[in-house]
Amino acid sequence: VAKGECLKSSGLRSAGVPFMQKRFPVPEPVSEPEPMTSCGGGVSCSSTETCCATASGGFACCPAPDATCCSDHIHCCPSEYPVCDVAKGECLKSSEAIFGVPFLQKRFPVPEPVSEPEPMTSCGGGVSCSSTETCCATASGGFACCPAPDATCCS
């Protein structure tokens, strides 16, 4: 510690390498990511959107919950105006309604994740280090991440 080196004893000689610089750990997530609704086919829409089929057999996201997907496979209508009038290009409150609101435009869905996030190791106290790092206690009672797996933490 006095020399600022990590020593490996080999016979009568000691070989040293400089200490590695620790970094602050990553706070563990406290909130969940935005909830998603799987449409099928490996894609998702936000839980505040509606999955609608497209003419090509895929899916698109209507920017309204509980929306009506129109028969043109391009547009959708909010739940307050659930009738698609494809001829007029409007969403109506009922099939007898005279006035309506413009169609909503769908957007492309989000691909569902295929890989897991980087594995993390919980240090305790609500913080984590990458699984390729070592959690080391600090003098202040917290933790820091040493950028080496299975490292020896210096005092």
Side-chain angles (χ1 to χ4, degrees), residues 5 17 21-22 48 50 52 56-57 63 72-73 84 88-89 98 105 107 110 127 137 140 144 147:
E5 293 181 332
V17 294
Q21 185 67 40
K22 296 177 191 172
T48 61
T50 302
C52 289
S56 64
D72 66 358
H73 296 288
C84 294
K88 288 184 179 179
I98 299 172
Q105 189 68 41
R107 69 165 185 83
V110 175
V127 295
S140 63

Side-chain angles (χ1 to χ4, degrees), residues 2-154:
K3 289 185 178 182
E5 293 181 332
C6 296
L7 301 175
K8 181 176 183 180
S9 183
S10 58
L12 299 175
R13 301 173 120 189
S14 293
V17 294
F19 283 152
M20 293 181 171
Q21 185 67 40
K22 296 177 191 172
R23 68 168 184 80
F24 289 104
V26 178
E28 293 177 351
V30 291
S31 63
E32 292 295 316
E34 179 182 5
M36 301 295 282
T37 300
S38 177
C39 300
V43 294
S44 295
C45 293
S46 162
S47 63
T48 61
E49 299 175 311
T50 302
C51 296
C52 289
T54 62
S56 64
F59 290 95
C61 302
C62 180
D66 304 315
T68 300
C69 303
C70 299
S71 61
D72 66 358
H73 296 288
I74 299 170
H75 300 98
C76 55
C77 292
S79 60
E80 301 82 20
Y81 292 84
V83 177
C84 294
D85 187 333
V86 177
K88 288 184 179 179
E90 291 182 325
C91 300
L92 307 172
K93 280 196 178 267
S94 70
S95 56
E96 294 83 33
I98 299 172
F99 299 104
V101 297
F103 280 147
L104 297 175
Q105 189 68 41
K106 294 188 281 187
R107 69 165 185 83
F108 291 106
V110 175
E112 293 176 352
V114 291
S115 63
E116 292 294 316
E118 178 184 5
M120 300 294 282
T121 300
S122 179
C123 301
V127 295
S128 297
C129 293
S130 164
S131 63
T132 61
E133 298 174 317
T134 302
C135 294
C136 292
T138 63
S140 63
F143 289 95
C145 301
C146 180
D150 302 317
T152 301
C153 300
C154 302

